[in-house]
Amino acid sequence: MTGAFMGPPWQMDWRLDALATRDALPEHVRKMVDEARAELVTAKDPYFRGIDADAGLPEAMSVEPVRSTDPKGSRILYFDTYKGWLVYTFKRRIEDPQIVVVEIFWQ
């Protein structure tokens, strides 16, 4: 390793309960989750910081902080026009930075 910060595509991991929830969703919803996953792992900045930082996402998706007082904390990615969401954190490390999905919901 050269010590330089790695960039996209990012690694992604799931908490076991979030993965079980994802696997229990209908097939068409799992496809939307996979599309959301693809957007996250290829994002230049998984925090989506700044004004309109998530403007490059498809219309049915958006990202915002879970808590506005914690700018480097968890994020929520809405998909299916706010019918579902993924809550994730980004572990920014020199070696093996990764996105960790901690919760998923769809209604």
Side-chain angles (χ1 to χ4, degrees), residues 8-21:
W10 308 107
Q11 299 295 318
M12 182 178 250
D13 199 6
W14 295 73
R15 274 187 23 177
L16 292 177
D17 55 342
L19 186 59
T21 301

Side-chain angles (χ1 to χ4, degrees), residues 12-23 25 33 36 40 66 74-79 84-89 99-106:
M12 182 178 250
D13 199 6
W14 295 73
R15 274 187 23 177
L16 292 177
D17 55 342
L19 186 59
T21 301
R22 181 232 176 254
D23 291 345
L25 293 171
V33 171
L40 281 177
V66 171
S74 298
R75 292 288 193 261
I76 187 166
L77 181 142
Y78 296 101
F79 64 92
W85 66 76
L86 297 171
V87 176
Y88 68 94
T89 59
I99 295 167
V100 178
V101 177
V102 295
E103 180 182 347
I104 184 170
F105 176 81
W106 182 80

